[in-house]
Amino acid sequence: MIAADRVDYPALEHEIQRWWDENGVLQRYVHRNDQSDKQYSFLDGPMTANNPMGVHHAWGRTYKDLFQRFKTMQGYRQRYQNGFDCQGLWVEVNVEQELGLKNKREIEEFGIARFVELCKERVFRFARRITEQSIRLGYWMDWGNDYYTLSDENNYTIWHFLKRCYERGLIYKGHDVMTWCPRCGTGISNMETLSEDWHEVSHLSLYVLFPLIERPGEFLLVWTTTPWTLAANVAAAVHPELTYVKVEQDGQIFYLAEERLNLLRELRGRDKGEYRVLERLKGEQLVGWSYRGPFDELPAAQGVSHRVIPWKEVSASEGTGIVHIAPGCGREDFALSKEFDLAVLAPVDEFGIYVEGYGWLTGQSVSAVARPVAENLAQKGLLYRSQNYRHRYPVCWRCKTELIFRLVDEWYISMEQLRYEIMEVARQVTWIPAFGLERELDWLRNMDDWMISKKRYWGLALPIYECQQCGTFEVIGSKEELRERAVEGWEEFEGHSPHRPWIDAVKIRCRQCGALVSRIKDVGNPWLDAGIVPFSTLDYRHNRDYWRQWFPADFVTESFPGQFKNWFYALLVMSTVLEGTTPFKTLLGYATVLDEDGEIMHKSKGNAIDFDDAAERVGADTMRWLYTSQDPEQNLRFPRIPSREDVERAVREGVPVRLSEKWMLVRRALDKVWNIYWFFVTYANIDGFDPTRYQLAVERRSDLDRWILSELQQTILEVTASLERYDSAHATESLQNFIEHLSNWYLRRSRERIWKSELDDDKLGAYLTLYECLTTLVTLLAPFVPFFSESLYQNLVRSVQQEAPLSVHLCDWPQARQELIDEALVQDTHLVMRVVGLGRAAREKAQIRVRQPLNTLYVRLPSQADQEAVLRLKDQVLEELNIKRLELLSDDSEMLAYTLRAQARVLGPKYGPLVQKILAMLKGLDAHAASEAARQLREQGVLKLTIEGREITLTPDEVEVIATARPGYVTAEERGAVVVLETTITPELREEGLIRDLTHYIQDMRKRANLKIEDHIQLTLCADEELAAMVQRHAAELQEETLADSLRVETTPIAEPLPGELYRETLSPTSPRKLEGYTVQVIIAASPSSAAIH
RNA sequence: GGGCUAUUAGCUCAGGUGGUUAGAGCGCAGUCCUGAUAAGACUGAGGUCCCUGGUUCGAGUCCAGGAUGGCCCA
């Protein structure tokens, strides 16, 4: 066994990875449970193969890996299939950028076939990259057996799904106003627009005057934030019940809502004067008035009439209370056009360019016309005022272009009925956190029909064939069906994937009218691709038995922001339609990765952290420990990683990169494990101890050993139970607690045992116990920190047991041994720790350091059982506190005082209002009265009080007696536990303390002399007469502690070097380290018995 | 605009069904311990439990109103 005293995590991880590769460990892991009759079905949510992994992806992938590894170690057979999401606009946009293409027209000029091929290439390129990064994270999947949503199988399974929807009559073509990206040239549904895609932007808003036809010289005052839509205006809406006013200002007469009069004051600048209200009237009185449109002179507006309509959604909180209506440019507007039979003007094409018929606007982009429109209106005398207006406005989630509203034809799956079926299915799932169900149901209740089409190139070819002649459409459900129906173009398509442009060569004949029918040009919504995977990856179409074996998945996990309306939603929709049941049993959702300051990570903000940088600077295991320790409901703040300069400096100096405090905290538990491990290995090597060659029954081991073994069993139980319910944060907490106990108490208390020279039962027990704790701990840690645990396992286990499993990841999950759990011993040991804590506090108050021995510690605990336990384990207390005797304080000890505390909880219901009086009385007792009361309660079992003439009898469970220390003694206390320190330092005690100080200094000098722990020395001390005498009296223990083969004590300093001298130092009253007023020269020389000295 | 949720120490957060002295971790200050430790222990400072009102013998906890933030949906 070997071990370094410090870990370089990234270096360790690379070394372990190499070893795994060389030994084919991953393959063995994947096939370890092939013959098992238990199985566990994990379904991977496909990661988009369009960019490298960020640290936020690593969070989810760590969960996926953790739970699969846990199940593997428990013996479950699994599929370990990783998935890549491949199709969709996100890939197209990046390929466009790579090619320098600016819009769809340029893509078509470039060639759809070439473009689609490049999209595929990009996907495969990033799939490879992500695979490498995942492996770096220690993510163990059946690499090479991944699924890709671009696969024929995935696409045809979606066809199958759509066919089923079609058969149920759920698919329809909608003609509606959609949010539309003029750059991408496609509709963007609200499903795709995340909250962060609403940007704060400034737009030129216009207050426009619409001239009323029947009332010459009078106008409607209308406000709009989208001047480009004015050319499509056909109506003005008022709230029928709202009050409007007719106003005169600067010789102009116009109408607006009364509530908005303050607007006139706000807008009053140098160019606007005072106003007068001429008349008040109800909105409904305005309804039916006609007016001239602001762009009536344009050809497109010819024959369009404009009038005032009623609309209850009109609000008087913004604008003028009169709303400009352009049915071709707004969702609600379009709905109103149906209700009031309004003309519909669709002024722009798919790129947001005005079409023919709009005069000087034709050919211009909507994004460029705000100011020209304002100027044009001003010339016509129709502009009241223009004003910059800041508001939140949706942008394209992919290219961040501002969206517009545009009238288009898109394809939908109706959710009218389906949503209720899906809600039932959603209830079958165990949602973690539990609020996930409510979120999903909320989305299901409120969502619109699912828009599945996109007017793009790289994606699922929607198998919808719409007859241009008779207007009917059909959905094709499989490749075979298409072949059957194909009347031309099959040869051209054959051999290609079912993508544009190849698929579009195939034509079928209309069942209704016999016309030749093409596929619609649209591709599918990418969430169809990801939602079908519980079917497509399990060979649903060809092998139902296999599918049934793995469906539904036991577990899925993804980040929940967004996924309620994306993946989770798509999964539920598709499975509901196909099978009427849930595709997954348990869902673990987790929050968002933020930067150290709690800000969202953005490449553009410069606070995003590359996965590769993080892995190389802090280590994959460190990151995994951070992720698995995190409460998944809370956003995770990812600490800053060391800079490039920090790394370069570390490389120059040949040491591991120094991490920030935050990272050190994250990794503290792992570093502690390493330290324990290093301690064990160091001493086992010195002793030549081989753990496989010894045995010692647990009953014959010490209290300390049996205690930590009991803690270990409980830790196994807790970690197992936590992981079973997908609660990794609780699992890591249990592990951390155990590690603390092992490090801070067990090892601390065992040092002496291991340090002593002979291998007796006690030392053997310590070794065997520590070894078992370490090896079990390492196995428990394996799914969390696979590299770190493997490294320790190889060294601790494989180096001495050739028959042990090759890798820790091939080991069985530890089983708790119930017979080793000793609840009482655990409690008692925790009590001892508490008493020791109090002892330390008392020492601090007395300002007596622990190295100074003291004679007596008096202890008083609330219960008899506790007192007995402390007596039984008193050696641990005394050793730890460096005190010679422990005695219990009797109830009537003069060192004790008492306070009484009423149990309001018990007394309240019994005495009602009187409770406050009882409380006050007990609180007000002086020390003497309190002691008397405590005695009465102790001796008579009751306490009698008189309050307001009423006799009250309190029982022991109604009043708590708390022992405290009487002033004048050095004590510490906590909830009725009291320790009192006997602080007299006799000459003997003082001498012992001095020797201990001296021993400590000599140990430190050994370290400075670069001696190994096991090196022996020859020690020479030249001291004052008095100190020399003390040293002589304690020579034996001093020699034993410092491994001094010889001890020479002089009373005069030695100037000349001694033979083999390694180190010398003089302690004096003026040196930094001192022994009270004494002076002593310490000289350390090599001992002939020590073989190697450096 | 509607719904959900939160507000407790400098920071991050715990605090079933009301019980009088509100906790943890981190940070800060100090002391100690250390031949495993980039560790650890102890002590201390630090709180009008967002505000106002109510119910109650008693409210961080229950009720009402308000303020501020977050998320979701419009």
Side-chain angles (χ1 to χ4, degrees):
Chain A
M1 287 183 278
I2 45 160
D5 61 349
R6 277 189 192 178
V7 211
D8 181 339
Y9 284 81
L12 175 148
E13 289 163 6
H14 285 296
E15 191 188 313
I16 293 293
Q17 184 64 53
R18 262 196 306 280
W19 183 83
W20 283 339
D21 291 343
E22 283 162 12
N23 291 278
V25 178
L26 173 59
Q27 278 311 302
R28 291 174 201 245
Y29 167 87
V30 166
H31 294 292
R32 176 195 134 121
N33 299 324
D34 278 355
Q35 305 309 315
S36 173
D37 51 2
K38 296 195 288 186
Q39 70 163 37
Y40 178 75
S41 181
F42 168 73
L43 178 67
D44 184 32
M47 178 173 162
T48 308
N50 185 44
N51 277 305
M53 235 167 94
V55 291
H56 57 289
H57 294 109
W59 190 3
R61 286 169 112 64
T62 297
Y63 281 135
K64 293 174 181 183
D65 190 55
L66 168 68
F67 294 112
Q68 288 185 94
R69 283 180 186 272
F70 171 57
K71 291 293 174 183
T72 304
M73 293 176 83
Q74 286 187 321
Y76 289 85
R77 190 158 52 95
Q78 295 181 67
R79 296 182 65 248
Y80 308 104
Q81 190 179 34
N82 173 78
F84 290 112
D85 206 4
C86 311
Q87 305 180 144
L89 184 53
W90 43 58
V91 181
E92 288 193 47
V93 169
N94 280 298
V95 171
E96 280 180 77
Q97 280 168 1
E98 283 177 348
L99 294 171
L101 303 179
K102 283 194 276 301
N103 54 42
K104 284 166 76 172
R105 217 167 287 156
E106 292 186 10
I107 294 173
E108 303 211 356
E109 281 164 18
F110 178 79
I112 296 175
R114 278 171 73 199
F115 183 74
V116 164
E117 286 298 351
L118 288 172
C119 288
K120 283 189 191 174
E121 257 176 47
R122 181 180 175 90
V123 165
F124 287 123
R125 184 162 84 239
F126 280 100
R128 281 193 300 276
R129 181 79 201 283
I130 291 167
T131 303
E132 285 165 13
Q133 294 180 300
S134 300
I135 291 170
R136 179 66 191 85
L137 179 67
Y139 187 27
W140 275 13
M141 293 297 255
D142 189 4
W143 300 112
N145 185 30
D146 318 77
Y147 72 80
Y148 293 77
T149 61
L150 58 69
S151 70
D152 290 7
E153 184 57 28
N154 210 66
N155 282 303
Y156 288 130
T157 312
I158 301 171
W159 282 26
H160 175 76
F161 160 77
L162 291 172
K163 178 86 178 187
R164 294 288 300 276
C165 291
Y166 172 68
E167 287 163 358
R168 283 188 56 179
L170 298 174
I171 294 192
Y172 72 93
K173 182 166 90 168
H175 178 69
D176 203 352
V177 170
M178 284 287 307
T179 41
W180 183 273
C181 175
R183 197 217 65 87
C184 296
T186 183
I188 302 289
S189 72
N190 63 346
M191 211 168 125
E192 297 167 89
T193 306
L194 299 171
S195 300
E196 64 183 67
D197 293 324
W198 288 73
H199 284 187
E200 183 84 13
V201 291
S202 186
H203 281 143
L204 187 70
S205 74
L206 302 183
Y207 290 88
V208 184
L209 295 162
F210 288 174
L212 290 162
I213 291 172
E214 295 89 354
R215 293 156 199 268
E218 298 182 10
F219 301 86
L220 297 172
L221 185 61
V222 170
W223 181 65
T224 180
T225 58
T226 49
W228 69 270
T229 62
L230 285 169
N233 175 274
V234 299
V238 295
H239 195 296
E241 281 133 43
L242 217 57
T243 302
Y244 287 81
V245 287
K246 179 180 177 181
V247 171
E248 187 271 335
Q249 183 184 39
D250 298 333
Q252 247 172 351
I253 293 173
F254 50 87
Y255 294 82
L256 77 163
E258 184 177 36
E259 284 179 52
R260 301 304 296 155
L261 273 174
N262 59 333
L263 188 78
L264 300 188
R265 290 189 287 274
E266 284 166 20
L267 284 180
R268 190 177 50 198
R270 272 165 299 182
D271 53 338
K272 295 281 184 235
E274 291 300 328
Y275 64 87
R276 262 181 330 129
V277 175
L278 304 174
E279 190 184 341
R280 299 170 77 240
L281 60 172
K282 270 272 163 88
E284 59 193 8
Q285 293 177 261
L286 277 66
V287 171
W289 295 1
S290 40
Y291 63 89
R292 284 209 324 276
F295 288 92
D296 270 3
E297 68 277 13
L298 300 179
Q302 297 312 304
V304 174
S305 65
H306 305 269
R307 61 179 209 271
V308 177
I309 59 168
W311 189 28
K312 300 236 167 149
E313 298 299 308
V314 171
S315 150
S317 62
E318 226 178 17
T320 65
I322 304 178
V323 176
H324 145 64
I325 302 293
C329 308
R331 203 120 202 215
E332 295 96 340
D333 308 46
F334 185 70
L336 288 169
S337 77
K338 289 183 183 159
E339 193 179 334
F340 293 98
D341 195 24
L342 304 173
V344 177
L345 298 179
V348 298
D349 67 9
E350 61 177 330
F351 303 117
I353 307 289
Y354 283 95
V355 296
E356 286 304 319
Y358 287 85
W360 61 276
L361 288 166
T362 297
Q364 297 219 54
S365 164
V366 296
S367 61
V369 300
R371 231 154 254 293
V373 162
E375 281 159 20
N376 179 280
L377 290 169
Q379 280 167 21
K380 293 188 282 194
L382 299 180
L383 184 66
Y384 176 79
R385 181 73 193 220
S386 66
Q387 188 182 39
N388 279 319
Y389 178 69
R390 288 193 69 78
H391 59 155
R392 278 162 64 79
Y393 192 84
V395 299
C396 176
W397 55 270
R398 206 55 234 175
C399 67
K400 307 302 175 193
T401 303
E402 286 181 15
L403 300 181
I404 60 173
F405 292 85
R406 185 166 176 263
L407 190 62
V408 283
D409 290 335
E410 297 287 357
W411 292 86
Y412 296 87
I413 297 175
S414 168
M415 289 295 152
E416 204 175 331
Q417 279 309 310
L418 200 49
R419 77 177 75 217
Y420 301 104
E421 293 172 38
I422 303 168
M423 286 163 87
E424 279 316 301
V425 168
R427 289 181 217 276
Q428 299 167 11
V429 176
T430 303
W431 297 81
I432 307 170
F435 69 71
L437 175 61
E438 272 314 310
R439 279 274 184 92
E440 190 63 50
L441 292 178
D442 188 54
W443 165 251
L444 287 167
R445 261 190 296 272
N446 294 308
M447 76 201 164
D448 299 324
D449 292 343
W450 188 2
M451 187 185 98
I452 55 172
S453 56
K454 233 178 210 337
K455 303 203 174 330
R456 294 292 306 189
Y457 307 100
W458 170 234
L460 167 82
L462 286 172
I464 301 174
Y465 290 77
E466 186 184 27
C467 177
Q468 295 304 316
Q469 190 165 298
C470 69
T472 58
F473 74 91
E474 270 190 83
V475 172
I476 300 296
S478 69
K479 187 180 183 182
E480 293 67 35
E481 188 185 344
L482 183 63
R483 190 211 305 262
E484 257 169 49
R485 295 290 304 280
V487 292
E488 67 178 61
W490 185 263
E491 316 70 45
E492 211 177 313
F493 164 59
E494 186 88 84
H496 287 286
S497 64
H499 289 109
R500 292 185 72 181
W502 308 288
I503 187 74
D504 291 333
V506 181
K507 316 282 183 209
I508 65 169
R509 203 161 288 289
C510 177
R511 281 224 164 110
Q512 291 286 324
C513 69
L516 202 59
V517 182
S518 302
R519 194 187 71 82
I520 60 169
K521 288 278 174 269
D522 307 25
V523 295
N525 178 303
W527 293 108
L528 289 166
D529 302 353
I532 201 67
V533 299
F535 299 93
S536 59
T537 63
L538 299 175
D539 213 9
Y540 177 72
R541 297 192 310 148
H542 310 108
N543 187 349
R544 283 293 158 96
D545 286 342
Y546 179 77
W547 171 78
R548 232 170 256 122
Q549 199 184 331
W550 294 98
F551 180 99
D554 288 296
F555 179 61
V556 298
T557 177
E558 296 299 326
S559 170
F560 52 59
Q563 297 301 343
F564 291 104
K565 52 182 183 178
N566 291 329
W567 194 51
F568 305 158
Y569 170 67
L571 283 171
L572 290 169
V573 173
M574 296 175 98
S575 186
T576 302
V577 168
L578 289 176
E579 290 292 329
T581 184
T582 180
F584 52 91
K585 292 180 189 163
T586 299
L587 179 148
L588 171 65
Y590 53 91
T592 305
V593 175
L594 305 175
D595 75 6
E596 181 170 323
D597 305 319
E599 302 287 325
I600 291 180
M601 286 194 186
H602 267 305
K603 271 172 237 159
S604 56
K605 260 201 307 195
N607 64 347
I609 296 177
D610 286 345
F611 171 80
D612 308 79
D613 288 344
E616 293 321 316
R617 293 176 202 176
V618 308
D621 278 341
T622 309
M623 261 193 281
R624 292 175 64 113
W625 193 250
L626 170 72
Y627 293 133
T628 52
S629 307
Q630 172 76 11
D631 172 0
E633 270 186 66
Q634 306 286 337
N635 290 335
L636 185 154
R637 293 192 183 193
F638 197 93
R640 271 182 280 278
I641 60 173
S643 67
R644 197 169 292 278
E645 293 75 55
D646 294 336
V647 176
E648 282 162 8
R649 188 175 325 116
V651 167
R652 272 200 306 277
E653 291 167 10
V655 296
V657 185
R658 192 144 190 122
L659 300 184
S660 66
E661 284 300 315
K662 286 204 163 62
W663 279 113
M664 288 312 298
L665 265 167
V666 168
R667 203 162 68 193
R668 188 162 61 177
L670 299 182
D671 285 334
K672 277 191 193 176
V673 174
W674 185 272
N675 290 330
I676 300 164
Y677 158 77
W678 188 69
F679 175 91
F680 176 82
V681 169
T682 303
Y683 284 96
N685 280 337
I686 291 173
D687 286 334
F689 175 76
D690 178 348
T692 61
R693 285 178 36 219
Y694 296 92
Q695 281 187 328
L696 183 68
V698 171
E699 310 84 71
R700 292 181 52 204
R701 300 190 200 175
S702 70
D703 285 332
L704 196 64
D705 294 336
R706 284 185 292 108
W707 161 72
I708 196 69
L709 287 172
S710 178
E711 296 272 14
L712 178 65
Q713 308 314 313
Q714 286 175 320
T715 303
I716 295 172
L717 291 175
E718 278 174 34
V719 172
T720 308
S722 303
L723 291 181
E724 298 279 10
R725 56 170 199 274
Y726 300 103
D727 184 352
S728 71
H730 200 265
T732 54
E733 198 189 320
S734 301
L735 286 165
Q736 308 228 35
N737 284 338
F738 177 73
I739 291 164
E740 297 263 318
H741 281 140
L742 186 62
S743 172
N744 294 350
W745 194 258
Y746 181 76
L747 198 60
R748 212 180 141 76
R749 300 279 349 110
S750 294
R751 250 185 336 228
E752 294 273 310
R753 306 164 65 198
I754 285 177
W755 184 227
K756 66 184 168 194
S757 45
E758 79 278 27
L759 186 61
D760 57 7
D761 273 4
D762 183 54
K763 181 166 176 172
L764 183 59
Y767 265 137
L768 288 172
T769 304
L770 186 55
Y771 185 72
E772 179 166 352
C773 286
L774 270 174
T775 53
T776 309
L777 180 60
V778 160
T779 318
L780 290 172
L781 285 170
F784 297 88
V785 283
F787 300 96
F788 180 81
S789 56
E790 183 75 285
S791 170
L792 269 61
Y793 174 82
Q794 290 305 321
N795 206 14
L796 283 171
V797 180
R798 283 283 293 172
S799 65
V800 293
Q801 293 178 56
Q802 290 306 311
E803 71 287 1
L806 176 67
S807 157
V808 71
H809 304 296
L810 301 174
C811 289
D812 289 340
W813 185 251
Q815 298 285 318
R817 288 156 65 193
Q818 288 291 342
E819 73 277 12
L820 296 187
I821 295 179
D822 186 340
E823 206 77 60
L825 179 59
V826 168
Q827 297 232 335
D828 292 350
T829 306
H830 287 224
L831 187 69
V832 164
M833 293 178 188
R834 216 172 108 211
V835 170
V836 167
L838 290 172
R840 287 211 189 94
R843 269 188 175 273
E844 165 129 5
K845 275 189 200 162
Q847 290 290 301
I848 301 173
R849 63 200 197 287
V850 177
R851 240 182 276 140
Q852 173 61 59
L854 292 173
N855 265 327
T856 315
L857 181 75
Y858 299 96
V859 176
R860 201 257 183 206
L861 296 171
S863 85
Q864 195 61 32
D866 285 354
Q867 308 221 100
E868 283 164 14
V870 165
L871 273 190
R872 197 165 57 247
L873 299 174
K874 71 175 179 189
D875 288 350
Q876 296 190 39
V877 179
L878 295 177
E879 246 179 69
E880 194 63 24
L881 290 173
N882 195 18
I883 294 175
K884 300 197 176 302
R885 289 187 305 140
L886 185 149
E887 286 186 15
L888 294 178
L889 286 171
S890 64
D891 287 333
D892 54 2
S893 160
E894 58 174 15
M895 296 181 206
L896 288 178
Y898 293 93
T899 58
L900 298 176
R901 200 167 119 186
Q903 301 294 298
R905 185 173 215 148
V906 186
L907 293 173
K910 192 164 166 186
Y911 293 103
L914 210 55
V915 162
Q916 298 305 327
K917 300 263 164 40
I918 300 174
L919 292 176
M921 175 153 194
L922 291 180
K923 214 180 243 177
L925 293 177
D926 64 26
H928 178 72
S931 289
E932 276 309 304
R935 185 202 305 277
Q936 198 188 117
L937 204 56
R938 189 165 61 235
E939 288 170 3
Q940 297 167 20
V942 291
L943 177 62
K944 290 188 159 59
L945 300 173
T946 310
I947 291 171
E948 294 186 334
R950 233 181 108 181
E951 178 105 331
I952 305 241
T953 307
L954 299 178
T955 61
D957 54 321
E958 288 169 342
V959 54
E960 186 186 1
V961 178
I962 300 168
T964 61
R966 186 158 285 185
Y969 295 91
V970 179
T971 67
E973 60 198 38
E974 177 192 71
R975 278 172 296 161
V978 182
V979 304
V980 182
L981 208 54
E982 150 91 70
T983 55
T984 315
I985 299 172
T986 61
E988 293 77 26
L989 290 172
R990 172 171 166 267
E991 182 172 321
E992 275 184 50
L994 281 169
I995 295 298
R996 259 184 93 145
D997 279 345
L998 180 60
T999 310
H1000 170 61
Y1001 292 145
I1002 295 170
Q1003 298 289 37
D1004 195 58
M1005 292 176 202
R1006 284 177 51 105
K1007 229 193 249 182
R1008 290 177 191 219
N1010 285 325
L1011 283 158
K1012 282 206 220 162
I1013 293 168
E1014 68 271 26
D1015 287 337
H1016 284 239
I1017 56 168
Q1018 294 190 330
L1019 188 59
T1020 305
L1021 299 173
C1022 314
D1024 309 322
E1025 296 272 357
E1026 200 184 331
L1027 183 61
M1030 290 185 205
V1031 169
Q1032 294 289 12
R1033 282 194 286 275
H1034 295 90
E1037 60 177 275
L1038 187 60
Q1039 277 182 263
E1040 192 184 344
E1041 287 290 322
T1042 59
L1043 293 183
D1045 291 339
S1046 65
L1047 173 62
R1048 178 176 154 205
V1049 182
E1050 301 287 341
T1051 49
T1052 51
I1054 297 170
E1056 71 280 9
L1058 296 180
E1061 177 173 334
L1062 296 168
Y1063 187 89
R1064 70 163 65 194
E1065 183 180 334
T1066 301
L1067 303 171
S1068 74
T1070 56
S1071 65
R1073 303 189 290 180
K1074 47 180 93 62
L1075 288 170
E1076 294 187 3
Y1078 299 104
T1079 299
V1080 56
Q1081 183 187 36
V1082 181
I1083 305 172
I1084 295 173
S1087 170
S1089 74
S1090 245
I1093 285 173
H1094 358 235

